[in-house]
Amino acid sequence: MFSKLAVKNVGRSFRDYGVYFLTVAFGVCLFYVFNALETQTVIRYLSSHQRQELVGAIQQLIGVLSVFVWFVLAFLILYASGFLVRRRSREMGTYLMLGMERWQVARLLLAETAVTALVALAVGLALGVVLSQALSVFTAGLFAVPQTEFQFSVSLPALLRTILAFVGIFLLVMLYHAFTVSRRKLIDLLRARRVNQELKVRSLGMSVVLFLVGCALLVVAYAMLLTRGLLRVDGLFWVMIGLGSLGTLLFFRALSGFLLRLCQSNKKLYYKNLNMFILRQFNASINTTYRSMTVICLMLLLAIGITATSVGLNNTVSQMADQTIFQDVELVAWPEEEGDTLDLAAALEAGGFDPEQQCSSWTTFPLYQNEAGEPCLLQQDYDAYVSAWGQEPADAFLESWGARIVDGEGAGLTALRWYFLADYAGDPNEAEQLFLQAAGYIPDTGGYQYTTKQSIWMDLMGTKVLVLFIGLYLGVVFLVASAAVLALQQLSQAADSAGRYQVLSRLGVSEKMRGRSVDIQVFLAFFLPLALALVHAVVGMTAANAVIAEVGRVDAAASSAVTALLLVAVYGGYFLATCWGSRRILRAAA
Amino acid sequence: MEQILKVEGLCRDYGKGTVTHAVDHVDFSVEKGEFVGIMGPSGSGKTTLLNCISTIDTPTAGHIWVEGRDITTLKQKGLSRFRRERLGFVFQDCNLLDTLTAYENIALALTIRKTPAQKVDALVRETAQLLEITDCLNKYPYQMSGGQQQRTAAARAIVTEPALVLADEPTGALDSKSARLLLERFELMNQLRQATILMVTHDAFTASYCHRILFLQDGSLFAQVERGNQDRKDFFRQIIGVVTQLGGDQSDVL
């Protein structure tokens, strides 16, 4: 009987559960994707190329972040279920009035939570598995990792961890439900709907002044950021952050009043259709929502900033590898005795890496020192370098040592160090493998070191993968959190203003017009914080790009595209769900 | 006289199987400029009747003509338009929008009819003057007394010059002084603006301001009294007389 009632309740209050469901499903999906990193092509590639420690570090860091994310999601889901219970206070009251025991009502709520949780968990996990594959393809493309054939894989440990994490959250939710049901007084439950929101009237003139002050603060903060740059963390930096946050707060606090004043001065606009009503509604709600709007705006800024920067940074990886080393391989060896001759090519060949076979072009030469102690390079070695890689890198090499070119066979010169430079021919992976094997031991040297383009690239890539995953993870979590809080606030506001819409309906305002009014309000609530966050982000990214440009070029188009895509998917999804939910709440009331 | 409202064979049933006839074959009509009251004990169907006329509810059978147009055949969109353009409402519970000032509440009735913005101010002020609420036009509903709120609602109902003003227990939540003031304004609205008013009440005093009263019992018309040339006190006594005749619990009626 109880399970029947529970399932029916979930079905009936689907419009209330919509946002809750969406949030849980998104949370589960995210949690799975970032805990199942081992299924990612990039990660697999890294660990198959001697970068297991790096992969371990990434997974560990993501694991630590997951704990933080777990807290954020737990808070969010508790907040959402609190909203649901508040909406249904009267229903709870009725159950109690009918003589149901408190534990029975609590059990009913628990059953309902369990039903929604199970479905959301299943949907979220399915979504997570799909999204994980999509992310894999996306990042593989980003890093130009050779795609082995498409493999559909599911990470069981991640699946298990996600299920455990969310079961934990649901237990918390159930505890919370049990607690609220046992604490609330019957009279409060039954009367819940009659308690009206207190309407505070604030002077409109004051709003205009506050709005202008807020804008001025923002402009000052922007100017500071752009002239000082992003990375100077000192006293003034915190002043700048403070000014920016305060400016944002004042902006939202006064915006509705400012808009109202502005529109009131234009009678044609103000006294048209429902404009007056919409603006007043917005103004009435702002007193309760401006704080959360500020927090949401800043969270969105974080989300946009983190996502865009981390995606943008990644595109600099291959360029940076190119800049650090010109050849595929660079091997330097010091002779045991200064002046001794080393045959690096022969040594490598003995180790199983035949330069003639494996390399498209290679050269080996010594760097000499003359009697004055100046570094020198023989003309013939220089010519060989130029013929293999061209004038520019050869000159760059000379310059890095401040070496001069000398003719002759090296009489009177001492060989300080021997170089072996080469570009691979054929399959670079195979050649690299052979080279690493051969370079594992080179006999009769006083010491040697080598760098390969692939290993530099791989190390860089490891760091960037870390940055990208952390960026995406936190970015999306912040995005989901802000959107969900906004959605719940709008829905509870819709429920609060149901009476007003009923009056409008009686006055003959058509359903279309009422729906439009709801949409505009939801739109304002969603897109005002987003708009300001975007402005913040553009200014912030301009400053950030100045920093990043020093180490590499940022692909602004790609990072903006990815960020925009994420925003549209998550934020847009919540926006539509909220419009739909609000309309349904109000249609039911009219 | 022009006929504003004509109700013919109106029925509204509730429930399946054992059907309750909330309104059972009611016929009546209202002429332009009339101030008509509907009285009856609770459960007699007066609110259902009013809801049908105001198109909030749909009748099971019968027809309602307003200005010669059958509103029972209107579709959803037409209904909204009809309510917006031809009807004015005053309800018992506060039905002003709490986020808007009195002025804006009245203006809203105009703006949703797409009245040109430059005409709004004059219309609002003229109507406010008639209802003596000029002083509190810039106040929010919660800053006004119950009587002022109801007069604001009345102003909103007539500012659009509707064919028919429907009032459901307008004095129900008012003290006797505010009620008297409101009813005097209703009379003025009726006399000066030729507003046609149909008012549902169970209070004989309130009803005594009307020209004509229809008595409902168990969903059917039971009696009808006209004020004619009597003064209000005599009319009041006549109403009490009919109420006493009506079956049911008398205290409920008074």
Side-chain angles (χ1 to χ4, degrees):
Chain A
M1 177 59 210
F2 270 113
S3 55
K4 205 167 161 188
L5 189 55
V7 172
K8 277 198 172 165
N9 274 341
V10 173
R12 186 180 51 84
S13 47
F14 183 71
R15 61 171 188 272
D16 295 344
Y17 273 110
V19 164
Y20 179 74
F21 185 83
L22 202 64
T23 305
V24 175
F26 265 141
V28 170
C29 167
L30 270 180
F31 208 82
Y32 170 80
V33 168
F34 286 95
N35 276 286
L37 283 185
E38 69 265 23
T39 59
Q40 297 284 311
T41 313
V42 187
I43 295 282
R44 279 206 205 133
Y45 182 74
L46 276 176
S47 48
S48 66
H49 286 81
Q50 288 90 36
R51 294 294 181 285
Q52 285 91 347
E53 304 114 71
L54 204 63
V55 168
I58 293 176
Q59 282 178 322
Q60 209 171 2
L61 203 66
I62 291 284
V64 172
L65 278 182
S66 289
V67 176
F68 169 72
V69 168
W70 186 85
F71 276 108
V72 172
L73 289 177
F75 166 78
L76 199 63
I77 292 174
L78 275 179
Y79 179 82
S81 52
F83 161 78
L84 281 184
V85 171
R86 257 198 314 286
R87 285 267 297 139
R88 298 177 54 194
S89 303
R90 218 185 140 82
E91 186 187 326
M92 301 294 133
T94 313
Y95 288 144
L96 289 178
M97 270 258 286
L98 290 174
M100 247 162 135
E101 295 288 338
R102 276 178 193 272
W103 63 265
Q104 284 176 312
V105 175
R107 212 179 67 178
L108 184 69
L109 271 180
L110 299 196
E112 287 185 38
T113 314
V115 172
T116 359
L118 273 180
V119 180
L121 196 62
V123 171
L125 282 177
L127 206 65
V129 170
V130 174
L131 202 72
S132 176
Q133 303 294 324
L135 184 68
S136 178
V137 173
F138 166 69
T139 48
L142 209 60
F143 291 102
V145 166
Q147 287 253 42
T148 44
E149 59 198 82
F150 185 75
Q151 246 183 325
F152 190 81
S153 52
V154 177
S155 158
L156 279 182
L159 219 55
L160 212 65
R161 232 171 321 177
T162 310
I163 291 173
L164 270 182
F166 278 85
V167 166
I169 291 180
F170 295 138
L171 285 180
L172 274 181
V173 171
M174 288 176 174
L175 268 179
Y176 169 79
H177 281 335
F179 183 72
T180 28
V181 171
S182 65
R183 279 284 302 277
R184 294 283 295 276
K185 284 189 191 134
L186 181 53
I187 184 83
D188 292 339
L189 286 173
L190 286 172
R191 273 204 187 148
R193 210 167 279 183
R194 278 193 223 157
V195 181
N196 277 330
Q197 243 186 353
E198 197 185 333
L199 273 176
K200 282 186 208 147
V201 187
R202 308 209 188 192
S203 139
L204 287 183
M206 194 67 186
S207 290
V208 175
V209 173
L210 279 181
F211 182 76
L212 295 177
V213 170
C215 288
L217 286 182
L218 285 179
V219 168
V220 170
Y222 286 164
M224 282 173 82
L225 181 66
L226 289 177
T227 52
R228 287 163 38 86
L230 191 64
L231 289 186
R232 262 170 65 191
V233 182
D234 50 15
L236 271 182
F237 176 80
W238 297 111
V239 170
M240 180 183 81
I241 297 282
L243 283 181
S245 309
L246 188 65
T248 309
L249 185 79
L250 288 182
F251 180 86
F252 286 120
R253 161 72 186 73
L255 177 68
S256 69
F258 180 75
L259 276 180
L260 193 60
R261 196 6 84 82
L262 204 69
C263 294
Q264 272 180 341
S265 64
N266 182 349
K267 292 257 182 291
K268 260 205 172 127
L269 184 69
Y270 195 62
Y271 293 118
K272 193 182 171 211
N273 294 341
L274 284 179
N275 287 359
M276 178 165 68
F277 173 74
I278 295 168
L279 277 165
R280 283 291 190 180
Q281 278 281 94
F282 183 52
N283 193 41
S285 68
I286 204 77
N287 291 326
T288 49
T289 55
Y290 75 95
R291 282 181 221 90
S292 51
M293 267 191 165
T294 306
V295 174
I296 284 160
C297 174
L298 296 180
M299 281 220 282
L300 278 173
L301 172 63
L302 272 181
I304 297 170
I306 291 174
T307 318
T309 316
S310 61
V311 173
L313 258 180
N314 272 289
N315 298 330
T316 65
V317 173
S318 41
Q319 293 155 3
M320 281 176 80
D322 278 346
Q323 280 164 9
T324 320
I325 179 174
F326 197 80
Q327 290 81 18
D328 279 353
V329 183
E330 184 189 81
L331 171 67
V332 193
W334 294 267
E336 270 175 318
E337 292 279 325
E338 281 192 0
D340 282 2
T341 307
L342 285 175
D343 191 348
L344 291 175
L348 286 173
E349 197 182 339
F353 179 80
D354 183 3
E356 288 300 332
Q357 265 186 17
Q358 305 294 343
C359 300
S360 57
S361 55
W362 65 278
T363 174
T364 174
F365 57 90
L367 186 74
Y368 291 104
Q369 193 177 30
N370 63 14
E371 277 123 15
E374 292 164 330
C376 306
L377 190 65
L378 293 184
Q379 179 70 48
Q380 60 194 45
D381 290 341
Y382 175 75
D383 290 342
Y385 200 133
V386 171
S387 77
W389 290 287
Q391 188 82 33
E392 240 175 85
D395 287 344
F397 178 78
L398 275 186
E399 204 169 310
S400 71
W401 286 102
R404 56 165 67 187
I405 301 172
V406 286
D407 290 322
E409 292 294 319
L413 300 175
T414 331
L416 274 187
R417 42 168 71 205
W418 288 80
Y419 276 93
F420 173 82
L421 304 175
D423 274 350
Y424 295 135
D427 180 14
N429 281 328
E430 198 183 314
E432 172 98 358
Q433 208 73 34
L434 285 172
F435 174 79
L436 291 178
Q437 245 171 38
Y441 177 66
I442 299 176
D444 308 322
T445 64
Y448 63 94
Q449 67 180 37
Y450 56 85
T451 20
T452 67
K453 193 179 262 180
Q454 220 177 59
S455 69
I456 287 183
W457 190 77
M458 209 74 81
D459 284 340
L460 269 173
M461 187 175 110
T463 335
K464 297 300 153 68
V465 165
L466 181 68
V467 171
L468 175 75
F469 280 147
I470 290 178
L472 281 180
Y473 196 15
L474 290 185
V476 178
V477 166
F478 281 139
L479 199 60
V480 168
S482 1
V485 169
L486 265 178
L488 291 171
Q489 267 184 350
Q490 285 308 303
L491 286 177
S492 73
Q493 238 166 57
D496 285 344
S497 45
R500 295 177 198 141
Y501 279 90
Q502 204 174 0
V503 172
L504 286 184
S505 162
R506 287 190 172 180
L507 287 179
V509 178
S510 62
E511 190 174 330
K512 205 171 126 198
M513 253 167 116
R514 275 178 280 144
R516 215 176 68 96
S517 152
V518 175
D519 291 348
I520 291 178
Q521 281 174 60
V522 176
F523 179 83
L524 283 176
F526 266 78
F527 286 86
L528 283 177
L530 180 66
L532 190 59
L534 279 177
V535 174
H536 284 353
V538 167
V539 177
M541 291 298 290
T542 313
N545 280 358
V547 177
I548 299 169
E550 287 168 17
V551 274
R553 192 178 58 88
V554 175
D555 192 342
S559 60
S560 316
V562 171
T563 317
L565 207 73
L566 271 177
L567 261 181
V568 168
V570 175
Y571 212 64
Y574 271 102
F575 170 68
L576 289 181
T578 311
C579 280
W580 182 70
S582 300
R583 271 173 177 244
R584 284 199 57 157
I585 288 176
L586 296 177
R587 203 179 308 145
Chain B
M1 275 295 242
E2 191 190 340
Q3 209 171 50
I4 289 289
L5 173 71
K6 186 167 181 224
V7 175
E8 209 175 74
L10 189 74
C11 294
R12 180 68 178 97
D13 301 339
Y14 288 113
K16 287 171 194 160
T18 48
V19 177
T20 316
H21 305 286
V23 173
D24 197 6
H25 293 94
V26 170
D27 305 280
F28 69 94
S29 61
V30 177
E31 312 264 286
K32 185 173 170 57
E34 262 198 305
F35 185 178
V36 179
I38 297 177
M39 285 193 80
S42 41
S44 58
K46 44 187 198 307
T47 299
T48 307
L49 176 61
L50 197 75
N51 280 345
C52 287
I53 297 170
S54 64
T55 69
I56 292 170
D57 203 350
T58 35
T60 317
H63 294 277
I64 303 166
W65 285 275
V66 174
E67 294 182 308
R69 187 158 51 144
D70 188 351
I71 59 170
T72 52
T73 59
L74 287 177
K75 294 276 177 299
Q76 191 59 43
K77 216 171 155 186
L79 285 178
S80 282
R81 191 189 160 87
F82 167 75
R83 279 209 289 273
R84 190 159 73 223
E85 301 195 339
R86 300 318 304 153
L87 292 185
F89 291 99
V90 185
F91 293 96
Q92 174 182 2
D93 52 340
C94 169
N95 53 11
L96 295 176
L97 293 165
D98 52 355
T99 47
L100 270 54
T101 61
Y103 182 94
E104 289 168 345
N105 262 296
I106 303 170
L108 188 71
L110 292 169
T111 64
I112 58 174
R113 297 180 45 167
K114 306 201 192 325
T115 309
Q118 63 268 22
K119 284 192 189 165
V120 169
D121 191 64
L123 283 171
V124 171
R125 290 195 186 280
E126 188 191 326
T127 315
Q129 210 162 18
L130 179 69
L131 286 146
E132 277 183 42
I133 44 168
T134 314
D135 297 339
C136 48
L137 273 182
N138 285 321
K139 287 184 179 167
Y140 289 91
Y142 70 95
Q143 293 169 319
M144 299 190 280
S145 71
Q148 285 171 331
Q149 287 184 25
Q150 275 309 44
R151 276 181 282 145
T152 308
R156 183 181 64 185
I158 62 157
V159 73
T160 56
E161 307 217 321
L164 186 61
V165 175
L166 299 171
D168 189 5
E169 307 269 12
T171 57
L174 299 183
D175 60 82
S176 57
K177 189 166 166 253
S178 305
R180 195 179 301 240
L181 202 59
L182 178 71
L183 289 165
E184 279 165 9
R185 293 297 133 185
F186 268 45
E187 273 191 318
L188 266 183
M189 270 158 53
N190 178 245
Q191 284 163 14
L192 297 181
R193 290 268 193 112
Q194 263 77 54
T196 315
I197 305 174
L198 184 65
M199 178 169 74
V200 159
T201 181
H202 66 252
D203 176 41
F205 173 75
T206 303
S208 67
Y209 279 84
C210 302
H211 299 164
R212 181 158 67 100
I213 296 171
L214 306 169
F215 288 89
L216 271 183
Q217 192 178 32
D218 299 330
S220 309
L221 274 186
F222 166 83
Q224 171 167 229
V225 292
E226 281 192 50
R227 183 163 163 185
N229 291 324
Q230 335 175 45
D231 77 352
R232 210 176 47 73
K233 282 196 179 123
D234 294 335
F235 190 44
F236 176 68
R237 264 178 232 117
Q238 196 188 348
I239 295 166
I240 292 289
V242 182
V243 164
T244 323
Q245 275 179 42
L246 269 167
D249 189 359
Q250 215 186 48
S251 65
D252 200 37
V253 182
L254 287 169

